[in-house]
Amino acid sequence: MRNHSSLLRTCWVIVATLCLSADSNCSIAADALDRLDLDKLRQLKVAVETLKTDRQPVTRTSEFTDYRACLHVHSFLSHDSNGTVEEIVKAAKEVGVRVLMFTNHPAADYDFFTDGHRGLIDGVLLIPGAETTGLLSFPTASVKDKLGSEPQAFVDAVQPNGGMSFLCHLEERMDWELTGLTGSEIYNTHADFKDEARFIRVLRDPLALMLKLGPALREYPQGVFAALQNYPADYLKKWDAMCAVKPHTGVSANDAHHNQGLKATIEEDGNLRIDDGLGEKVALIDPEKLPLIKPLLLGKKAGDVVFDLDLDPYARSLHHVSTHLLMKDLTEANVRDALQNGRAYVAFDWIADPTGFLFQLETDGNNYEMGSELPFISGMTLHAAAPLPGSFRLIRNGVEVARDLGRSGEFPVQEPGIYRVEVWLNLEGEPRIWILSNPIYIREPESK
């Protein structure tokens, strides 16, 4: 998550200064953060582990291989991250990510394209880019002289020779209309956080938060991270409207920074120093002025850590969601080709590995992948399949028109439209979105 400082940083300061001094018997409302209930998190972990035993491979009838990619990743080149390339690549390998598309915030002292992270490192492909002007941009040459341009001018500058731009943080710009975009985020981790009004309200009751979040994070770290995930209805509505104008590739945004945390350390003078996730001091507490925190310091000495909360290490963020690309092999040219042609789908990998998912159009004995555009003829069938049984929901022009249950879905095409598929799984009685395909565009046939 990015460093949304005015809200979250303030909340962490409040947590740091109050949670250690408030009444330890305070309670949290039972319905404030239902998904963070320890029993529910335990049951969720069991359910996720059980899904692994039910997984069956899907046979893909095409030349493409499914590669996991993460877009919207920040490193030390951004002002709001300390992440090293070594740390991020290690995390990517840990969770099976093969492509990292960096989107560092530009600055005057470096060129995000020429100085950015690029190349194949230990089996992980790195591609430089930037988050700027409301866009995730991946040019094929330096555009430093265009920084600060209006959004449309920046898209125009990035676009030549296979450059790509994706609309990002749609919650802040639902009314934008730009030409030349490659696509748009259809899920963003940070936006998911901002949509959690109850979670934000609980941050104002700091000790209650720590009593609930601390144990949950220690035992079920990925479940805590995933607790914020909801169906991105507003993002999808905007994306469907964009696709009605021209094809736009939908991608997920990890918004990975590894910058959200809280650490309390005893200083030489006995005070308690509170650092945020970037190691910056946000508070200094004098235990003599807050006697209720003294029991926490018993038996501890200068340099000891009293509390350490790490919310978003890269492995956790990258495992949460990713954009799967259908490519012939692992090269930057193939990454760009897949994204520009819509051969991609978004999946919440923390739930289950979706590798092998397919959504194809079958017509005249041929199969066409996501992103394809064909004129409507009779006899067309849309086919979807996944490694786990679920609910396959067929969306046409932004509206659900059919549903199928099982490991696959078969949908005869009755009329032209923009078709995409969602796959939902049931986790402990709660339906959760798992996979979001890119569309197949079936056009009105040309009149003779």
Side-chain angles (χ1 to χ4, degrees), residues 332-354:
E332 181 172 332
N334 284 334
V335 169
R336 291 178 182 274
D337 182 69
L339 287 169
Q340 288 164 340
N341 289 287
R343 289 196 313 275
Y345 65 92
V346 167
F348 293 94
D349 302 78
W350 74 268
I351 298 175
D353 179 6

Side-chain angles (χ1 to χ4, degrees), residues 200-237:
I200 293 170
R201 285 198 298 270
V202 168
L203 287 174
R204 301 190 182 104
D205 188 359
L207 184 58
L209 174 65
M210 289 300 101
L211 289 175
K212 192 176 186 78
L213 187 59
L217 194 62
R218 285 192 297 271
E219 295 187 49
Y220 309 104
Q222 196 69 51
V224 169
F225 197 95
L228 297 177
Q229 181 207 327
N230 289 305
Y231 180 67
D234 289 345
Y235 270 45
L236 293 173
K237 182 178 180 180

Side-chain angles (χ1 to χ4, degrees), residues 40-52 220 427-428:
K40 289 188 176 181
L41 286 170
R42 177 184 56 79
Q43 293 166 8
L44 178 66
K45 184 175 181 179
V46 171
V48 167
E49 290 298 317
T50 301
L51 287 176
K52 295 178 181 178
Y220 309 104
L427 291 179
E428 291 302 301

Side-chain angles (χ1 to χ4, degrees), residues 129-429:
E131 177 188 0
T132 184
T133 324
L135 304 163
L136 305 182
S137 292
F138 306 94
T140 57
S142 175
V143 290
K144 189 171 184 179
D145 62 335
K146 301 298 183 181
L147 292 173
S149 302
E150 291 298 313
Q152 184 61 65
F154 196 71
V155 171
D156 295 342
V158 169
Q159 190 177 21
N161 302 313
M164 302 181 296
S165 292
F166 298 84
L167 193 62
C168 73
H169 288 292
L170 273 66
E171 74 279 6
E172 300 173 5
R173 46 191 63 90
M174 285 290 181
D175 59 343
W176 279 23
E177 302 292 341
L178 301 175
T179 61
L181 289 174
T182 309
S184 172
E185 294 179 347
I186 59 175
Y187 174 82
N188 182 294
T189 305
H190 172 250
D192 228 1
F193 166 80
K194 293 200 301 185
D195 194 43
E196 292 290 338
R198 288 190 305 157
F199 183 85
I200 293 170
R201 285 198 298 270
V202 168
L203 287 174
R204 301 190 182 104
D205 188 359
L207 184 58
L209 174 65
M210 289 300 101
L211 289 175
K212 192 176 186 78
L213 187 59
L217 194 62
R218 285 192 297 271
E219 295 187 49
Y220 309 104
Q222 196 69 51
V224 169
F225 197 95
L228 297 177
Q229 181 207 327
N230 289 305
Y231 180 67
D234 289 345
Y235 270 45
L236 293 173
K237 182 178 180 180
K238 171 65 174 176
W239 179 49
D240 285 331
M242 293 170 67
C243 290
V245 177
K246 66 173 289 291
H248 286 82
T249 301
V251 299
S252 61
N254 298 81
D255 215 347
H257 289 76
H258 193 195
N259 65 358
Q260 299 301 326
L262 183 72
K263 187 174 183 179
T265 308
I266 302 175
E267 297 273 82
E268 289 291 340
D269 59 5
N271 287 330
L272 200 61
R273 173 184 169 127
I274 310 298
D275 291 330
D276 65 12
L278 292 175
E280 299 176 2
K281 184 175 73 174
V282 295
L284 194 64
I285 301 174
D286 182 355
E288 297 302 323
K289 295 180 180 179
L290 295 171
L292 288 176
I293 73 169
K294 284 187 175 182
L296 297 174
L297 310 183
L298 290 176
K300 298 186 182 297
K301 61 184 184 301
D304 285 351
V305 175
V306 175
F307 189 83
D308 193 358
L309 181 69
D310 190 359
L311 288 175
D312 66 335
Y314 282 106
R316 197 174 302 158
S317 176
L318 301 182
H319 184 50
H320 179 64
V321 66
S322 63
T323 304
H324 287 245
L325 306 177
L326 304 183
M327 307 189 297
K328 294 180 180 179
D329 50 52
L330 187 61
T331 67
E332 181 172 332
N334 284 334
V335 169
R336 291 178 182 274
D337 182 69
L339 287 169
Q340 288 164 340
N341 289 287
R343 289 196 313 275
Y345 65 92
V346 167
F348 293 94
D349 302 78
W350 74 268
I351 298 175
D353 179 6
T355 301
F357 165 79
L358 63 83
F359 177 48
Q360 296 176 332
L361 174 67
E362 299 176 359
T363 181
D364 287 339
N366 297 311
N367 296 320
Y368 297 88
E369 298 284 3
M370 290 172 284
S372 297
E373 293 185 74
L374 290 93
F376 172 76
I377 60 172
S378 61
M380 285 181 159
T381 300
L382 292 165
H383 173 66
L388 289 168
S391 175
F392 289 77
R393 301 181 182 183
L394 182 68
I395 312 297
R396 175 185 177 272
N397 298 345
V399 178
E400 181 179 332
V401 294
R403 188 179 300 192
D404 209 346
L405 300 175
R407 294 183 183 272
S408 62
E410 298 286 341
F411 306 101
V413 179
Q414 306 295 339
E415 57 184 325
I418 302 169
Y419 291 90
R420 61 180 179 84
V421 159
E422 300 176 355
V423 184
W424 292 66
L425 298 180
N426 193 305
L427 291 179
E428 291 302 301

